[in-house]
Amino acid sequence: MEKWETRWNENKLRWHKDAIDPLLIKHLGKLHEKDKDDPISTSPKKFFVPLCGKTLDIAYILSLGYHVFAVEGVRKAVDTLNTENNFGLEFHEQDSIFKTLDGKLQIYLGDLFTCPFEKWAPFDYVWDKGSLTAIDEESRQKYKISMQKSVQIPGSNDYHNFKYLLRTVIYDKSKSEGMGPKCVSETDMNDLYGDWTNITLLESVKLPEGHILRRNINIGSVCHENIYLLSPKSINE
Ligand SMILES: C[S@@+](CC[C@H](N)C(=O)[O-])C[C@H]1O[C@@H](n2cnc3c(N)ncnc32)[C@H](O)[C@@H]1O
């Protein structure tokens, strides 16, 4: 977490965008499709936003009437998110949780890998942008376990009927200098999600030369951003 603390303290936030993610806006409707199959549910759906930073996507998701549970390891990030959005978050030390008065937004302050998900899970939807791609390759199996816990019914190995939007970046690692977001190849996708989710590639966008993300990765060769929709694999699949 130290390297992230340093980035926040030095205000080196090259990943941050002062805009709502256009791919979230475009594909959020894919999550509603599930609600058509579930007309009896009237309680607000809960979104999980791992490694949230100060993303504007949270305010957008809240504005649509969803509840949001996020995780962030750096306090300065949550304080900045709070100030910039006027969320009025209050910190509850006992659970290491920031909460709005109405309880619609909760942010766990701490390491994703040790978050006690059983207290709040399962979530209906996941918005994973700049989260998996921020994780070092050696920690990816731990990441998988955390993401599974976030959608698992506590006390069982069963998954809730979740939908998970995942934004990744894919490029030739041998041509990059190891900076910026980590490449998530098709093989990585299968290793991380293949045994517990159905993976649908919704869109693959080729990034033009000079694109900020390509500059962050420092890569001259082809680079795509992919957006996937994941849903639980049923036992018979
Ligand atoms: C690349 S940034 C992305 C932030 C946000 N998703 C966005 O797209 O703007 C990753 C964020 O995750 C936080 N972070 C990194 N590793 C973490 C961990 N293991 N647990 C909790 N937070 C972590 C960092 O402090 C940083 O704010």
Side-chain angles (χ1 to χ4, degrees), residues 1 4-5 7-8 13 15-17 49-57 71-74 77 108 110-113 128-131 133-135:
M1 201 60 67
W4 293 103
E5 298 266 3
R7 286 174 183 166
W8 278 100
L13 313 175
W15 66 82
H16 179 73
K17 305 270 179 337
V49 182
L51 276 53
C52 63
K54 57 169 193 164
T55 178
L56 271 62
D57 300 345
V71 171
E72 172 54 58
V74 178
Y108 174 75
D111 191 339
L112 175 81
F113 303 135
D128 185 323
K129 179 200 65 168
S131 182
T133 55
I135 297 294

Side-chain angles (χ1 to χ4, degrees), residues 2 19 27 30 38 55 59 83 122 151 164 172 175 226:
E2 220 173 285
H27 293 292
K30 308 277 186 324
D38 181 20
T55 178
T83 313
V151 290
Y164 180 147
D172 182 348
K175 296 197 174 118
N226 285 355

Side-chain angles (χ1 to χ4, degrees), residues 15-30:
W15 66 82
H16 179 73
K17 305 270 179 337
D18 278 322
I20 300 157
D21 191 297
L23 291 179
L24 173 65
I25 298 173
K26 181 170 177 185
H27 293 292
L28 198 115
K30 308 277 186 324

Side-chain angles (χ1 to χ4, degrees), residues 45-112:
K45 300 286 183 188
K46 289 190 284 180
F47 253 92
F48 176 42
V49 182
L51 276 53
C52 63
K54 57 169 193 164
T55 178
L56 271 62
D57 300 345
I58 290 183
Y60 174 66
I61 295 169
L62 289 168
S63 76
L64 299 175
Y66 298 108
H67 289 195
V68 174
F69 182 91
V71 171
E72 172 54 58
V74 178
R75 183 157 192 151
K76 189 173 178 195
V78 186
D79 287 340
T80 314
L81 174 83
N82 189 25
T83 313
E84 291 183 356
N85 291 276
N86 292 315
F87 281 141
L89 288 166
E90 282 184 7
F91 188 56
H92 300 256
E93 188 122 29
Q94 203 186 346
D95 285 332
S96 195
I97 278 272
F98 283 89
K99 266 190 212 176
T100 49
L101 264 184
D102 62 11
K104 291 181 182 172
L105 171 60
Q106 298 188 311
I107 303 178
Y108 174 75
L109 176 67
D111 191 339
L112 175 81

